[in-house]
Amino acid sequence: MADTEKVSGSDADPAVTPAPAGDAPPAEPARTKREYKEFTHEEEKATHANVDMSTIELKAEDLYDKEKVDLETIVIEDVFKLLQCDENGLAPEEAERRLGLFGPNKLESEEQNPFLQFLSFMWNPLSWVMEAAALVAIALSNGEGRAPDWQDFVGIVLLLFINSAIGFYEERGAGNAVKALMDSLAPKAKVKRAGQWSEIESADLVPGDMISFKIGDIVPADCRLTEAINVSIDQAALTGESLPQAKKMGDQCFSGSTCKQGEAEGVVISTGANTFFGRAASLVGQDDDTTGHLQKILAQIGSFCLVAIGIFVLAEIFVLYAGFRYSYRRGLDNILVLLIGGIPIAMPTVLSVTLAVGAQQLAKHKAIVTRITAIEELAGVTILCSDKTGTLTTNKLTIDRETIITYSSFSAEDVILLAAYASRTENQDAIDASVVQAIGDVSKARAGIKLLDFKPFNPTDKRTEITYREEATGKLKRVTKGMTGAIIELCSRNRTEELEAKLEADVENYATRGLRSLAVAYEELDGDDFEAEGNGFELIGLLSIYDPPRSDTKQTIDDALALGVKVKMVTGDQLAIAKETGRRLGLGDHMYAAKVLKDGPAPGGKHRTLDEMIMDADGFAGVFPEHKYEIVKRLQGLGHLCAMTGDGANDAPALSRANVGIAVEGATDAARGAADIVLTEPGLSTIVHAIRGSRIIFQRMRNYSIYACAVTIRIVVCFAILAFAYKFDFPPFMILIIALLNDGTIMTLSVDRVLPSNTPDSWDLAEIFSYAVAYGLYLTMSTIALVIIILETSFFQDNFGVSLDSFPVQHNDPQLHMVVYLQVAIISQALIFVTRSHSFFFMERPSTALLCAFCIAQLISSIIAVYADWGFTKIHGVSGGWVGIVWVWNIVWFMPLDLIKFAMRATVIKYLRERQETARARAAASSGPESEGVPMTRTQSRAASIHESLYSNRVSFIRRAARKVGFGQKISMKPEELQRFSSIQAQRTGATLARNPSRTAA
């Protein structure tokens, strides 16, 4: 885990030299130098390239063998030989040549043509049916002395454009993740070429360039350091490590990291997409062509509707044309009724509005949604993968007061105060800042003392020291703090074997918990000479430094677990730190190092496969961007909807891959660009609000989906049966009016009152379709029964004094059309009050907006029924008596709908759920006991897969079209399967130089 550090002794080491024989007793044995196992990073030994370096022309096949060449780890001399450069830098001509070979040091992305992107929203099966209906209305409805059906054509096209406009607006608003990554790179770089330093655009850097950077600069490209003066690099945004890392000559620095201290020179080993930063960028958006979760659901609902429509359209073609010998136009009008009324064309629009309203509600909780369909997916999330540094924790070093250890009469508060004295109050490094902040008031670090001398931290002494005069007593005192080994070697007062043994045990205990040790020693001086020796340092305390969890993180995790969402930590920090953080947050410490993702589970262990290990683990540590990406991908492959939270560029690939990527407050541009939801205030409590809010939105969408499918069944079955039984020719335009009024009302579902579920939601389409068929057939019966009574009897005329234009009533009486229109419009829309409630409809109050919209829509429908007299659509207004009859009729038929819901729940739905549980149990049993707890992968029918592919091909179709007509830009960076330890940048660089050498071997 951590390297063992030996701190060299001082001149005052208590080693005793042997005295002359006979003059004195035998010398005491020399004190053994203790090894303090500080918590540090593992260091990789520099190696040589396993190739013949006597020649510079290396073959590409040799360089592709990572066992032979790795620019990240080979000795710096071999780097210069391999890259054919020296410390004077490249010649300008050579740099220009390499720029042509390797390309610019930047990331390039594809821009999509907005016009074609807009058209893409009309490229799906639901839209195809409506487009076909529009063509039927305008192109195929000519002949027999009648004009084209302009009214239906205009109405259909209007619906299509409204739906596409909303979808285009929402998708166009999402940020470009790769562009955000590219904008995060350093714009300028200081480079040496032909022995002269100059400043150039970082995009012009090439492998082999000599670069320089200092405190505050962003490292412009991956490089190996050739000179380093007290250098500290903050790479938390790239690797997830919570502490700035000290760098020395030969170490690697990543593009995009920040220099926090010192200055350095280095040789560029990789640029652009081949850098660590670029590899993360290439993973972002790698699966842009994959089908979104909501699109999959829409595809399967669309499949259901298409099958229902297709069956009855074919039936009408055979029955009406072959059986009844309908004329061409008359048959087309009947088919248009099924096409217009059966397709829930407004479904994407309604769902988009619902999600948009949900996004506005989340914004009130300081969560900005960049991809609105992510809200629906968040409702079904079963696993939340979270980065640690800056997400679960504050990414600010802190002294852990609960673990302070004292070794003398000084209290813990005294130790902290004295450590603060020995810290800078200005131009602080991270450790000094954490110590000073621990005392609360920064002014206390210099209160009551007069500073006489201060020695800042340096890599040689590994400590800070202050000499001061205590104003209250006038005494001179000295305090030092630093690495344990360095401090204990300074101590000469009260230093015993027992003390050193205890210190060694305490430091090792800190290290196993991922805590960094900071020792504090104290001495007093006699006289007024602040440079004089003191009475000897005494070890007074040991401080632990760590990155603390955010204040609301534990509560957020507890709330997520209560909502059925399992939380896993996925961090680039070290395993011991990850385990300690997991214990503090209640996540557990059953975590693994990243190497298991490559090596797999140990033979004979409790996990048979890597998937089982990932499911069982509480988290993973030491991971790189591709590891996080792979973890999320595998969890999705196991059938889980996975969310990912993060704040750094190293999180961007996983944020992009996850069903829901969440960038926390203070995240880098890379993380924000890749995320679906961006938090704008500190803390993770917003995530719980988002989960609850998304489940409310999901319930609204589910309610609408049942309603829409039921209306589809109701329309196609009802009017097909009426056409078959009575040659009933209902006007298509009135179906369009019903659809418009329904959609206007259903839009208010976006603000309906519903309760969220306590477990992750899922689209159980079998249940949705079962409810839809039951409701649809029942509503069909209500309409057919009304028409039969009107056509076959005179019940209403005899008992209520009403009449129609014809008597006996003709099958296509214009007023009969109006009665059917009103009956279908009212009870179809009223169905939403049943589908939205879990109990009786009157026990769950709807939103005021929904209730008002329903009343307004039915008022308009009733007014149309009385006053509309549109000759082009074969309808005629009816009396108020018929309006009353229809209302009473619908109320009578509406009341049993709740009973149908309860009956379905007790029979069909219960059976479907029991069958699912049985299937899961059988699958678990067939997999063996060791796989218990691992969910099965979700499957779907072949028909559903086909229709899903029609949706998923939307983006691919548009890109192909863009290339053919010359729109858009060429994709410059192809996604690849990248792995951190394969040193792809070394392979590409060396291979290219081998094929295009700047000079030949002797």
Side-chain angles (χ1 to χ4, degrees), residues 425-743:
T425 56
E426 298 177 354
N427 300 323
Q428 300 167 315
D429 60 19
I431 293 179
D432 280 355
S434 66
V435 174
V436 172
Q437 289 170 1
I439 62 176
D441 186 356
V442 177
S443 63
K444 291 182 180 180
R446 293 293 181 266
I449 66 171
K450 181 179 180 181
L451 175 63
L452 300 177
D453 184 46
F454 187 88
K455 296 179 181 178
F457 180 88
N458 65 78
T460 302
D461 296 331
K462 300 179 181 178
R463 64 187 181 90
T464 64
E465 180 181 289
I466 184 174
T467 305
Y468 63 92
R469 185 185 301 277
E470 193 173 58
E471 294 178 350
T473 63
K475 292 183 178 180
L476 296 186
K477 298 181 179 181
R478 186 175 290 140
V479 179
T480 183
K481 75 175 192 328
M483 294 189 67
T484 308
I487 297 300
I488 193 61
E489 287 302 319
L490 288 175
C491 296
S492 58
R493 190 156 48 96
N494 298 328
R495 177 180 174 183
T496 64
E497 284 292 332
E498 292 76 16
L499 175 67
E500 292 192 49
K502 185 177 187 308
L503 177 63
E504 182 180 6
D506 292 338
V507 171
E508 186 170 354
N509 178 53
Y510 278 178
T512 58
R513 298 174 57 185
L515 303 175
R516 303 219 169 183
S517 305
L518 189 67
V520 183
Y522 164 88
E523 71 174 357
E524 295 184 357
L525 287 73
D526 295 327
D528 292 328
D529 184 5
F530 67 87
E531 294 182 347
E533 293 291 330
N535 64 344
F537 277 110
E538 177 185 7
L539 181 69
I540 62 172
L542 191 66
L543 306 179
S544 64
I545 305 174
Y546 77 120
D547 180 16
R550 292 180 182 268
S551 58
D552 64 341
T553 299
K554 189 175 189 310
Q555 185 61 50
T556 299
I557 292 174
D558 292 342
D559 291 343
L561 293 173
L563 291 172
V565 179
K566 182 174 177 58
V567 183
K568 293 180 182 291
M569 183 193 303
V570 184
T571 177
D573 219 335
Q574 299 182 68
L575 184 59
I577 297 177
K579 287 185 175 183
E580 176 66 14
T581 303
R583 284 190 288 264
R584 290 174 182 252
L585 293 176
L587 279 177
D589 58 2
H590 191 49
M591 301 184 184
Y592 299 96
K595 66 178 183 179
V596 303
L597 298 173
K598 178 182 179 181
D599 301 337
K606 69 173 183 176
H607 302 118
R608 295 185 303 171
T609 66
L610 180 57
D611 286 342
E612 291 181 13
M613 177 177 283
I614 290 176
M615 275 301 304
D616 183 55
D618 296 321
F620 293 88
V623 297
F624 289 95
E626 54 269 28
H627 296 141
K628 295 184 178 185
Y629 180 92
E630 182 68 18
I631 290 169
V632 171
K633 185 176 181 180
R634 283 182 175 272
L635 289 172
Q636 291 172 327
L638 290 170
H640 289 277
L641 290 184
C642 188
M644 174 75 193
T645 67
D647 69 328
N650 62 321
D651 301 315
L655 290 171
S656 175
R657 171 71 204 195
N659 299 94
V660 184
I662 304 171
V664 300
E665 188 269 341
T668 62
D669 289 342
R672 289 196 299 269
D676 305 305
I677 299 175
V678 179
L679 308 186
T680 59
E681 67 176 14
L684 299 178
S685 58
T686 300
I687 294 178
V688 174
H689 290 298
I691 292 175
R692 291 196 180 104
S694 66
R695 292 183 183 179
I696 290 174
I697 295 165
F698 180 90
Q699 292 299 321
R700 294 168 179 165
M701 293 192 295
R702 179 182 179 276
N703 297 340
Y704 171 71
S705 299
I706 296 175
Y707 167 81
C709 292
V711 170
T712 293
I713 296 295
R714 186 255 204 287
I715 294 293
V716 297
V717 175
C718 175
F719 288 105
I721 291 177
L722 289 176
F724 299 159
Y726 293 106
K727 298 183 180 179
F728 190 80
D729 302 330
F730 193 75
F733 186 79
M734 298 312 294
I735 287 290
L736 195 59
I737 294 297
I738 292 174
L740 287 172
L741 290 175
N742 279 356
D743 294 343

Side-chain angles (χ1 to χ4, degrees), residues 768-842:
I768 290 176
F769 296 154
S770 297
Y771 278 122
V773 170
Y775 293 144
L777 294 178
Y778 178 80
L779 296 183
T780 296
M781 291 170 54
S782 71
T783 303
I784 293 176
L786 178 64
V787 172
I788 289 175
I789 291 175
I790 293 175
L791 291 177
E792 303 295 340
T793 72
S794 58
F795 174 79
F796 294 117
Q797 292 89 332
D798 296 341
N799 291 280
F800 300 102
V802 293
S803 63
L804 298 176
D805 286 343
S806 59
F807 188 83
V809 180
Q810 299 299 312
H811 295 174
N812 285 303
D813 187 301
Q815 287 190 317
L816 176 59
H817 288 166
M818 187 63 83
V819 170
V820 172
Y821 155 77
L822 184 60
Q823 193 274 336
V824 171
I826 293 174
I827 199 167
S828 295
Q829 199 169 109
L831 175 64
I832 192 60
F833 296 107
V834 175
T835 63
R836 65 170 296 278
S837 61
H838 295 280
S839 183
F840 289 101
F841 76 92
F842 53 82

